[in-house]
C-alpha cells in the first residue's frame, strides 16, 4: 500500500463518526472579510457516500481557492468592500460576474457543508411547513425528488441545482451554471443545493454523476433545511453564513 493511501486509511480510522458529531448551526452573517469556515463535522463523517479525500480537497482546496479569489477581487474593487456575502450577492450578483462567481461560490459552499449530515443520521423526508409547501408545489415528496433529480441530471457541465423560496415563501427548483447563486439579485432564497462540479464527486463516482446525485439524498440534513426554510427563506431572508 502506498504511503498516501496509508495516511488516508489512518485518518479515516482515527476519526469515528457518530450521529451527534455534527455541530449546531449558529451563523449570523456578520463577516465582511472572508475566511474558510470550519466544517461542522470531521472530514470522514460523510463516508461511505462521500470519501474523506473528496470532502478534504473540496473544503480545504476548492472552497479555500474561491475565498482567496473573492478576497483578491474585493481588494481590487473597493466598491464591494465592507459587505457581507449575502449583501454582495443581492446587490451585485446580477451585474458583476466576479461577484456572481466568487461571492456565489463562497456562499454556495458555506451552505453546502451544513446541508450535508452523516449518512444514516437523517430522516428520509422533511416535515412541517417545508413538506406542506413541497406538496403544494409538486404534489408529494417523491415527485419533488424526481423533479430535482431530473434537473440535476440534465445540467450540462459545471453548476448547481437549488431548492429555493421566492419572497412569498413559494418553493422553486433552479439550475445555475458555474458558481452562480439563486440569491443573486434576490431572485430566490436557497435552502438546499447539490454541487455538480466534478470536484464534488469525481474521485469517488468518476463519470457516474447520476449515481452521485442518487446517493446525495441520503446525506441531506432535512431538520436543518426545515429550520432554514421556516426561519429565513419563508420570510424572504437569506440563510446567514
Ligand atoms: Fe464545489
Amino acid at each position: 500500500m502506498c504511503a498516501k493511501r496509508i495516511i488516508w486509511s489512518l485518518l479515516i480510522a482515527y476519526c469515528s463518526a457518530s450521529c451527534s458529531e455534527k455541530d449546531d448551526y449558529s451563523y449570523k452573517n456578520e463577516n465582511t472579510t472572508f475566511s474558510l469556515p470550519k466544517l461542522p463535522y470531521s472530514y470522514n463523517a460523510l463516508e461511505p457516500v462521500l470519501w474523506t479525500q473528496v470532502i478534504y480537497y473540496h473544503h480545504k482546496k476548492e472552497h479555500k481557492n474561491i475565498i482567496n479569489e473573492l478576497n483578491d477581487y474585493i481588494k481590487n474593487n473597493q466598491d464591494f468592500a465592507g459587505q457581507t456575502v449575502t449583501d454582495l450577492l443581492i446587490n451585485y450578483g446580477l451585474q458583476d460576474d466576479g461577484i456572481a462567481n466568487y461571492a456565489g461560490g463562497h456562499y454556495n459552499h458555506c451552505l453546502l457543508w451544513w446541508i450535508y449530515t452523516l449518512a444514516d443520521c437523517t430522516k428520509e423526508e422533511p416535515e412541517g411547513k417545508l413538506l406542506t409547501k413541497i406538496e403544494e408545489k409538486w404534489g408529494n415528496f417523491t415527485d419533488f425528488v424526481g423533479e430535482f433529480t431530473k434537473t440535476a441530471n440534465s445540467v450540462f457541465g459545471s453548476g448547481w441545482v437549488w431548492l429555493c423560496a421566492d419572497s412569498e415563501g413559494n418553493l422553486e427548483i433552479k439550475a445555475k451554471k458555474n458558481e452562480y447563486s439563486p440569491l443573486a439579485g434576490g431572485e430566490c432564497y436557497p435552502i438546499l443545493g447539490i454541487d455538480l462540479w466534478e470536484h464534488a464527486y469525481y474521485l469517488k463516482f468518476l463519470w457516474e454523476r447520476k449515481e452521485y446525485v442518487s446517493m446525495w439524498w441520503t446525506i441531506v440534513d432535512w431538520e436543518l433545511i426545515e429550520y432554514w426554510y421556516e426561519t429565513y427563506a419563508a420570510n424572504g431572508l437569506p440563510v446567514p453564513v
Side-chain angles (χ1 to χ4, degrees), residues 58 109 160 195 199:
H58 198 173
H109 287 88
W160 293 68
D195 187 343
H199 65 237

Side-chain angles (χ1 to χ4, degrees), residues 37-70:
K38 181 181 165 290
L39 271 190
Y41 35 71
S42 60
Y43 283 109
N44 74 327
L46 307 178
E47 295 265 359
V49 178
L50 289 174
W51 284 348
T52 305
Q53 295 97 314
V54 176
I55 296 300
Y56 180 83
Y57 290 123
H58 198 173
H59 177 254
K60 207 83 168 172
K61 302 295 180 189
E62 296 290 346
H63 191 178
K64 184 71 171 63
N65 285 345
I66 290 168
I67 291 164
N68 291 345
E69 299 275 12
L70 175 60

Side-chain angles (χ1 to χ4, degrees), residues 13-32:
Y14 177 73
C15 311
S16 63
S18 74
C19 289
S20 61
E21 187 190 316
K22 190 175 176 186
D23 295 341
D24 291 333
Y25 172 82
S26 62
Y27 284 12
K28 293 179 180 164
N29 201 42
E30 292 170 339
N31 294 329
T32 55

Side-chain angles (χ1 to χ4, degrees), residues 85-112:
V85 69
T86 55
D87 283 345
L88 284 171
L89 283 169
I90 290 170
N91 295 332
Y92 304 106
L94 292 181
Q95 307 149 26
D96 188 281
D97 208 49
I99 292 297
N101 274 307
Y102 304 140
H106 179 44
Y107 189 61
N108 293 344
H109 287 88
C110 285
L111 294 180
L112 181 69

